[in-house]
Short mmCIF file of all heavy atoms in Angstrom, two decimals:
data_model
loop_
_atom_site.label_atom_id
_atom_site.label_comp_id
_atom_site.label_asym_id
_atom_site.label_seq_id
_atom_site.Cartn_x
_atom_site.Cartn_y
_atom_site.Cartn_z
N LEU Y 179 171.31 17.15 143.16
CA LEU Y 179 171.02 15.75 143.13
C LEU Y 179 169.91 15.42 142.19
O LEU Y 179 169.95 14.52 141.36
CB LEU Y 179 170.83 15.10 144.54
CG LEU Y 179 170.29 13.75 144.56
CD1 LEU Y 179 171.36 12.77 144.38
CD2 LEU Y 179 169.56 13.46 145.98
N GLY Y 180 168.77 16.08 142.47
CA GLY Y 180 167.52 15.82 141.66
C GLY Y 180 167.62 16.26 140.24
O GLY Y 180 167.07 15.68 139.31
N LEU Y 181 168.33 17.41 139.95
CA LEU Y 181 168.36 17.93 138.63
C LEU Y 181 169.51 17.46 137.76
O LEU Y 181 169.39 17.48 136.52
CB LEU Y 181 168.51 19.53 138.77
CG LEU Y 181 167.22 20.20 139.35
CD1 LEU Y 181 167.55 21.68 139.51
CD2 LEU Y 181 166.01 19.95 138.52
N VAL Y 182 170.56 16.98 138.38
CA VAL Y 182 171.79 16.63 137.57
C VAL Y 182 172.28 15.19 137.89
O VAL Y 182 172.26 14.37 137.06
CB VAL Y 182 172.95 17.69 137.71
CG1 VAL Y 182 174.18 17.21 136.93
CG2 VAL Y 182 172.41 19.04 137.39
N SER Y 183 172.68 14.95 139.12
CA SER Y 183 173.38 13.73 139.47
C SER Y 183 172.52 12.50 139.28
O SER Y 183 172.96 11.55 138.63
CB SER Y 183 173.83 13.73 140.89
OG SER Y 183 174.72 14.86 141.09
N LEU Y 184 171.22 12.54 139.77
CA LEU Y 184 170.33 11.38 139.61
C LEU Y 184 170.03 11.16 138.19
O LEU Y 184 170.08 10.01 137.74
CB LEU Y 184 169.13 11.61 140.45
CG LEU Y 184 168.21 10.42 140.71
CD1 LEU Y 184 168.94 9.24 141.30
CD2 LEU Y 184 166.97 10.76 141.54
N PRO Y 185 169.66 12.11 137.40
CA PRO Y 185 169.38 11.90 136.03
C PRO Y 185 170.57 11.33 135.24
O PRO Y 185 170.42 10.51 134.41
CB PRO Y 185 168.99 13.28 135.48
CG PRO Y 185 168.47 13.96 136.61
CD PRO Y 185 169.27 13.58 137.69
N LEU Y 186 171.77 11.89 135.62
CA LEU Y 186 173.01 11.39 134.94
C LEU Y 186 173.19 9.86 135.20
O LEU Y 186 173.44 9.10 134.29
CB LEU Y 186 174.18 12.21 135.37
CG LEU Y 186 175.55 11.72 134.87
CD1 LEU Y 186 175.57 11.83 133.30
CD2 LEU Y 186 176.64 12.57 135.47
N PHE Y 187 173.12 9.52 136.48
CA PHE Y 187 173.23 8.13 136.85
C PHE Y 187 172.23 7.23 136.10
O PHE Y 187 172.55 6.17 135.56
CB PHE Y 187 173.13 7.97 138.38
CG PHE Y 187 173.16 6.55 138.81
CD1 PHE Y 187 174.29 5.81 138.93
CD2 PHE Y 187 172.00 5.81 139.07
CE1 PHE Y 187 174.42 4.52 139.41
CE2 PHE Y 187 172.03 4.52 139.48
CZ PHE Y 187 173.22 3.83 139.64
N ARG Y 188 170.97 7.57 136.14
CA ARG Y 188 169.93 6.79 135.55
C ARG Y 188 170.15 6.77 134.03
O ARG Y 188 169.84 5.69 133.44
CB ARG Y 188 168.52 7.39 135.83
CG ARG Y 188 168.19 7.24 137.25
CD ARG Y 188 166.86 7.79 137.57
NE ARG Y 188 166.48 7.50 138.95
CZ ARG Y 188 165.32 7.86 139.49
NH1 ARG Y 188 164.42 8.59 138.79
NH2 ARG Y 188 165.03 7.58 140.75
N PHE Y 189 170.61 7.77 133.46
CA PHE Y 189 170.86 7.81 132.02
C PHE Y 189 171.93 6.80 131.68
O PHE Y 189 171.87 5.98 130.67
CB PHE Y 189 171.33 9.19 131.53
CG PHE Y 189 171.97 9.18 130.09
CD1 PHE Y 189 171.13 9.01 129.00
CD2 PHE Y 189 173.22 9.33 129.95
CE1 PHE Y 189 171.66 9.01 127.74
CE2 PHE Y 189 173.88 9.38 128.68
CZ PHE Y 189 173.04 9.12 127.60
N LEU Y 190 173.05 6.73 132.40
CA LEU Y 190 174.08 5.80 132.17
C LEU Y 190 173.61 4.34 132.24
O LEU Y 190 173.97 3.40 131.52
CB LEU Y 190 175.30 6.03 133.12
CG LEU Y 190 176.08 7.33 132.93
CD1 LEU Y 190 177.10 7.52 133.96
CD2 LEU Y 190 176.65 7.40 131.52
N VAL Y 191 172.79 4.07 133.33
CA VAL Y 191 172.21 2.73 133.49
C VAL Y 191 171.33 2.34 132.32
O VAL Y 191 171.39 1.26 131.76
CB VAL Y 191 171.52 2.62 134.79
CG1 VAL Y 191 170.80 1.26 134.97
CG2 VAL Y 191 172.53 2.79 135.96
N LEU Y 192 170.41 3.28 131.97
CA LEU Y 192 169.40 3.00 130.91
C LEU Y 192 170.22 2.87 129.58
O LEU Y 192 169.80 1.99 128.70
CB LEU Y 192 168.53 4.26 130.74
CG LEU Y 192 167.39 4.33 131.84
CD1 LEU Y 192 166.68 5.59 131.67
CD2 LEU Y 192 166.47 3.15 131.83
N ARG Y 193 171.34 3.54 129.38
CA ARG Y 193 172.08 3.43 128.13
C ARG Y 193 172.62 2.03 128.05
O ARG Y 193 172.72 1.44 126.97
CB ARG Y 193 173.13 4.47 128.07
CG ARG Y 193 173.90 4.50 126.72
CD ARG Y 193 174.86 5.68 126.72
NE ARG Y 193 175.89 5.63 127.73
CZ ARG Y 193 177.13 5.96 127.51
NH1 ARG Y 193 177.49 6.38 126.30
NH2 ARG Y 193 178.02 5.84 128.46
N TRP Y 194 173.11 1.45 129.18
CA TRP Y 194 173.67 0.11 129.16
C TRP Y 194 172.53 -0.92 128.86
O TRP Y 194 172.75 -1.85 128.10
CB TRP Y 194 174.30 -0.24 130.49
CG TRP Y 194 175.76 0.09 130.50
CD1 TRP Y 194 176.43 0.91 131.31
CD2 TRP Y 194 176.78 -0.55 129.72
NE1 TRP Y 194 177.80 0.86 130.93
CE2 TRP Y 194 178.01 0.06 129.96
CE3 TRP Y 194 176.70 -1.50 128.64
CZ2 TRP Y 194 179.23 -0.35 129.34
CZ3 TRP Y 194 177.91 -1.91 128.07
CH2 TRP Y 194 179.05 -1.31 128.40
N PHE Y 195 171.38 -0.68 129.44
CA PHE Y 195 170.26 -1.56 129.17
C PHE Y 195 169.86 -1.49 127.62
O PHE Y 195 169.53 -2.53 127.08
CB PHE Y 195 168.95 -1.24 130.03
CG PHE Y 195 169.17 -1.53 131.45
CD1 PHE Y 195 168.28 -1.01 132.39
CD2 PHE Y 195 170.18 -2.36 131.88
CE1 PHE Y 195 168.48 -1.28 133.76
CE2 PHE Y 195 170.39 -2.66 133.24
CZ PHE Y 195 169.44 -2.14 134.19
N TRP Y 196 169.89 -0.30 127.07
CA TRP Y 196 169.65 -0.14 125.71
C TRP Y 196 170.61 -0.92 124.81
O TRP Y 196 170.25 -1.63 123.84
CB TRP Y 196 169.61 1.32 125.34
CG TRP Y 196 169.50 1.69 123.86
CD1 TRP Y 196 170.40 2.30 123.14
CD2 TRP Y 196 168.40 1.41 123.00
NE1 TRP Y 196 170.04 2.48 121.82
CE2 TRP Y 196 168.79 2.00 121.76
CE3 TRP Y 196 167.17 0.79 123.11
CZ2 TRP Y 196 167.94 1.87 120.60
CZ3 TRP Y 196 166.35 0.68 122.05
CH2 TRP Y 196 166.75 1.26 120.78
N ARG Y 197 171.94 -0.77 125.19
CA ARG Y 197 172.98 -1.47 124.40
C ARG Y 197 172.79 -2.96 124.50
O ARG Y 197 172.98 -3.74 123.50
CB ARG Y 197 174.30 -1.06 124.95
CG ARG Y 197 174.69 0.36 124.64
CD ARG Y 197 175.91 0.74 125.42
NE ARG Y 197 176.53 1.97 124.99
CZ ARG Y 197 177.53 2.59 125.67
NH1 ARG Y 197 178.01 2.02 126.79
NH2 ARG Y 197 178.03 3.68 125.26
N ILE Y 198 172.50 -3.48 125.72
CA ILE Y 198 172.30 -4.97 125.82
C ILE Y 198 171.11 -5.44 125.02
O ILE Y 198 171.11 -6.46 124.47
CB ILE Y 198 172.15 -5.22 127.38
CG1 ILE Y 198 173.53 -5.06 128.06
CG2 ILE Y 198 171.75 -6.71 127.50
CD1 ILE Y 198 173.49 -5.23 129.57
N PHE Y 199 170.10 -4.60 125.02
CA PHE Y 199 168.89 -4.99 124.19
C PHE Y 199 169.22 -5.05 122.76
O PHE Y 199 168.82 -6.03 122.03
CB PHE Y 199 167.77 -3.90 124.44
CG PHE Y 199 166.70 -4.03 123.37
CD1 PHE Y 199 165.69 -5.03 123.48
CD2 PHE Y 199 166.58 -3.07 122.37
CE1 PHE Y 199 164.76 -5.15 122.50
CE2 PHE Y 199 165.53 -3.15 121.41
CZ PHE Y 199 164.63 -4.21 121.51
N LEU Y 200 170.00 -4.05 122.25
CA LEU Y 200 170.39 -4.01 120.85
C LEU Y 200 171.32 -5.30 120.46
O LEU Y 200 171.15 -5.87 119.49
CB LEU Y 200 171.09 -2.76 120.43
CG LEU Y 200 170.25 -1.48 120.49
CD1 LEU Y 200 171.08 -0.26 120.14
CD2 LEU Y 200 169.06 -1.62 119.60
N TRP Y 201 172.22 -5.53 121.41
CA TRP Y 201 173.16 -6.68 121.23
C TRP Y 201 172.30 -7.98 121.22
O TRP Y 201 172.63 -8.88 120.42
CB TRP Y 201 174.23 -6.66 122.25
CG TRP Y 201 175.08 -7.84 122.31
CD1 TRP Y 201 175.08 -8.89 123.28
CD2 TRP Y 201 176.14 -8.26 121.37
NE1 TRP Y 201 176.10 -9.84 122.97
CE2 TRP Y 201 176.75 -9.41 121.85
CE3 TRP Y 201 176.62 -7.63 120.21
CZ2 TRP Y 201 177.76 -10.07 121.14
CZ3 TRP Y 201 177.62 -8.25 119.55
CH2 TRP Y 201 178.18 -9.43 120.00
N SER Y 202 171.37 -8.06 122.06
CA SER Y 202 170.56 -9.30 122.22
C SER Y 202 169.78 -9.46 120.94
O SER Y 202 169.57 -10.59 120.42
CB SER Y 202 169.58 -9.23 123.38
OG SER Y 202 170.30 -9.05 124.60
N ARG Y 203 169.19 -8.35 120.37
CA ARG Y 203 168.46 -8.42 119.13
C ARG Y 203 169.35 -8.87 117.94
O ARG Y 203 168.90 -9.63 117.13
CB ARG Y 203 167.82 -7.09 118.81
CG ARG Y 203 166.80 -7.10 117.64
CD ARG Y 203 166.18 -5.78 117.50
NE ARG Y 203 167.10 -4.68 117.05
CZ ARG Y 203 166.75 -3.47 116.76
NH1 ARG Y 203 165.47 -3.08 116.84
NH2 ARG Y 203 167.64 -2.58 116.35
N PHE Y 204 170.56 -8.39 117.96
CA PHE Y 204 171.52 -8.83 116.95
C PHE Y 204 171.79 -10.31 117.07
O PHE Y 204 171.77 -11.03 116.06
CB PHE Y 204 172.80 -8.11 117.09
CG PHE Y 204 173.98 -8.60 116.29
CD1 PHE Y 204 174.03 -8.55 114.88
CD2 PHE Y 204 175.07 -9.25 116.96
CE1 PHE Y 204 175.07 -9.11 114.17
CE2 PHE Y 204 176.12 -9.73 116.31
CZ PHE Y 204 176.12 -9.67 114.87
N LEU Y 205 172.07 -10.79 118.25
CA LEU Y 205 172.32 -12.25 118.55
C LEU Y 205 171.09 -13.06 118.11
O LEU Y 205 171.22 -14.17 117.57
CB LEU Y 205 172.63 -12.51 119.92
CG LEU Y 205 173.97 -12.05 120.48
CD1 LEU Y 205 174.19 -12.41 121.92
CD2 LEU Y 205 175.13 -12.52 119.57
N PHE Y 206 169.89 -12.55 118.36
CA PHE Y 206 168.63 -13.19 117.94
C PHE Y 206 168.61 -13.34 116.39
O PHE Y 206 168.27 -14.42 115.93
CB PHE Y 206 167.39 -12.46 118.40
CG PHE Y 206 166.13 -13.07 117.93
CD1 PHE Y 206 165.54 -14.18 118.66
CD2 PHE Y 206 165.48 -12.56 116.86
CE1 PHE Y 206 164.38 -14.71 118.22
CE2 PHE Y 206 164.20 -13.11 116.49
CZ PHE Y 206 163.71 -14.12 117.13
N ARG Y 207 168.93 -12.38 115.75
CA ARG Y 207 168.99 -12.41 114.16
C ARG Y 207 170.03 -13.44 113.75
O ARG Y 207 169.77 -14.18 112.80
CB ARG Y 207 169.26 -11.03 113.57
CG ARG Y 207 168.09 -10.02 113.82
CD ARG Y 207 168.41 -8.70 113.07
NE ARG Y 207 168.43 -8.96 111.59
CZ ARG Y 207 168.59 -8.00 110.70
NH1 ARG Y 207 168.83 -6.73 111.11
NH2 ARG Y 207 168.65 -8.22 109.46
N VAL Y 208 171.15 -13.43 114.43
CA VAL Y 208 172.23 -14.39 114.03
C VAL Y 208 171.71 -15.85 114.31
O VAL Y 208 171.95 -16.72 113.52
CB VAL Y 208 173.53 -14.10 114.87
CG1 VAL Y 208 174.52 -15.22 114.64
CG2 VAL Y 208 174.05 -12.78 114.46
N SER Y 209 171.07 -15.98 115.41
CA SER Y 209 170.62 -17.35 115.82
C SER Y 209 169.58 -17.92 114.83
O SER Y 209 169.37 -19.16 114.73
CB SER Y 209 169.98 -17.36 117.21
OG SER Y 209 168.72 -16.70 117.29
N ARG Y 210 168.89 -17.03 114.04
CA ARG Y 210 167.95 -17.50 113.08
C ARG Y 210 168.52 -17.80 111.68
O ARG Y 210 167.90 -18.19 110.74
CB ARG Y 210 166.81 -16.46 112.94
CG ARG Y 210 165.96 -16.29 114.14
CD ARG Y 210 165.33 -17.66 114.48
NE ARG Y 210 164.43 -17.59 115.66
CZ ARG Y 210 164.85 -17.88 116.90
NH1 ARG Y 210 166.03 -18.24 117.20
NH2 ARG Y 210 163.94 -17.87 117.96
N MET Y 211 169.85 -17.60 111.57
CA MET Y 211 170.61 -17.83 110.26
C MET Y 211 170.91 -19.29 110.23
O MET Y 211 170.94 -20.07 111.21
CB MET Y 211 171.82 -16.92 110.20
CG MET Y 211 171.51 -15.48 110.20
SD MET Y 211 173.03 -14.44 110.22
CE MET Y 211 172.39 -12.83 110.47
#
Side-chain angles (χ1 to χ4, degrees):
L179 169 77
L181 294 175
V182 180
S183 301
L184 190 59
L186 176 60
F187 174 81
R188 291 182 175 178
F189 167 73
L190 293 176
V191 173
L192 289 173
R193 188 173 62 141
W194 268 117
F195 290 166
W196 171 244
R197 289 168 170 172
I198 292 173
F199 167 75
L200 293 179
W201 173 251
S202 301
R203 189 176 65 175
F204 166 71
L205 291 182
F206 176 80
R207 293 186 63 179
V208 172
S209 72
R210 293 301 181 267
M211 299 175 189

